[in-house]
Amino acid sequence: MKLILIIEKKIVLYYSIFFHYIFYKIYNRFKSKEDAMRNIYTTVLLMVSMALASGAIARNNNAAASQCNGAGLYCLESGNYQKASEYFIDAIQLNPANKFYYNNCAVAWMNMGRYEDAMDMLQIALAIDPHYVKALTNMAIVCFHLLKFSRAYYYYSQARTADSIYTKERFQMAKVIAGVKRVYARHPDNNDLQQILNQLEILQQRKKDLP
């Protein structure tokens, strides 16, 4: 029995290394091409995640992953975003098929202004569960910060379909306007941002929600 477990662990390890090599080569070759290539990266990384999750290593490490995630959440609440992200990455390595860990890491990186990195994590969370509303709303925010306005609205719409109550609470008009103003302060010459802000303020005056 012990010999079988050792062989199983080695198979999972070699399988993981092989697919890590594949996604590393693909992503580094095409990383200048935005969403399409990110999808390739996400798909292959998800294959690695599922391969690990199905093996003995992941089965034995779920409890440890949960502990790392808990420590990360504590650091996140304390404002120690770097340490939080490190704990979440540890949790992902221990249980790479858990969508919550990727989303949590994305939140830590969003608070650090690492929006491209946060997008990568959210892509994986949504590959695991396309209807995961927290990842959808976070992706909308990330895309907006990256000035991908049409993509931001797409993910907002997807989130509203997945859970309209949560999405409405998350995107209250006052919160949205405050967030847009912060982005606009960093990009004062962006005419699209100015128009978006003007339209949002008109909606607020009319006491209407986001469309």
Side-chain angles (χ1 to χ4, degrees):
M1 182 65 182
K2 186 176 180 181
L3 178 60
I4 293 174
L5 287 175
I6 293 172
I7 293 172
E8 184 180 1
K9 287 183 180 182
K10 285 186 177 181
I11 291 172
V12 172
L13 179 61
Y14 293 148
Y15 194 33
S16 170
I17 292 171
F18 173 71
F19 278 112
H20 270 85
Y21 174 78
I22 291 175
F23 88 68
Y24 174 84
K25 297 295 287 186
I26 293 174
Y27 188 58
N28 279 275
R29 181 179 177 185
F30 297 110
K31 62 183 178 181
S32 61
K33 296 180 176 63
E34 299 176 6
D35 289 342
M37 291 306 108
R38 285 183 182 279
N39 287 337
I40 293 176
Y41 166 79
T42 299
T43 300
V44 179
L45 185 56
L46 184 58
M47 291 170 65
V48 177
S49 299
M50 294 309 178
L52 283 172
S54 64
I57 295 175
R59 289 201 304 271
N60 293 333
N61 287 339
N62 286 342
S66 181
Q67 289 179 350
C68 288
N69 183 62
L73 290 173
Y74 177 80
C75 291
L76 195 64
E77 289 292 327
S78 304
N80 189 346
Y81 304 123
Q82 177 60 43
K83 192 64 178 177
S85 68
E86 292 171 5
Y87 276 120
F88 293 137
I89 289 171
D90 287 342
I92 289 168
Q93 290 174 340
L94 290 165
N95 183 2
N98 190 308
K99 64 185 180 183
F100 302 113
Y101 302 161
Y102 295 100
N103 182 71
N104 292 343
C105 188
V107 171
W109 281 343
M110 288 165 68
N111 279 285
M112 296 166 65
R114 294 174 57 179
Y115 296 109
E116 292 280 357
D117 293 328
M119 179 180 281
D120 288 338
M121 286 293 175
L122 293 170
Q123 289 274 19
I124 300 169
L126 291 172
I128 296 171
D129 181 0
H131 306 293
Y132 181 23
V133 68
K134 289 187 177 181
L136 288 168
T137 54
N138 284 331
M139 184 67 90
I141 294 168
V142 164
C143 288
F144 197 90
H145 277 276
L146 294 173
L147 308 182
K148 301 175 184 290
F149 304 126
S150 61
R151 296 300 294 167
Y153 189 77
Y154 166 79
Y155 284 110
Y156 162 74
S157 299
Q158 293 292 106
R160 191 173 57 181
T161 300
D163 188 335
S164 60
I165 295 174
Y166 176 87
T167 304
K168 185 176 181 179
E169 175 65 24
R170 183 86 186 268
F171 289 95
Q172 293 180 17
M173 185 61 73
K175 293 180 181 178
V176 172
I177 290 176
V180 173
K181 285 182 177 179
R182 286 193 294 270
V183 178
Y184 184 59
R186 297 199 305 273
H187 306 278
D189 298 326
N190 190 295
N191 293 328
D192 290 334
L193 274 173
Q194 179 63 69
Q195 292 178 20
I196 291 170
L197 187 57
N198 291 342
Q199 290 299 316
L200 289 173
E201 289 174 340
I202 291 172
L203 288 174
Q204 186 181 45
Q205 290 172 3
R206 296 176 179 174
K207 298 182 179 179
K208 292 186 176 182
D209 295 327
L210 289 177

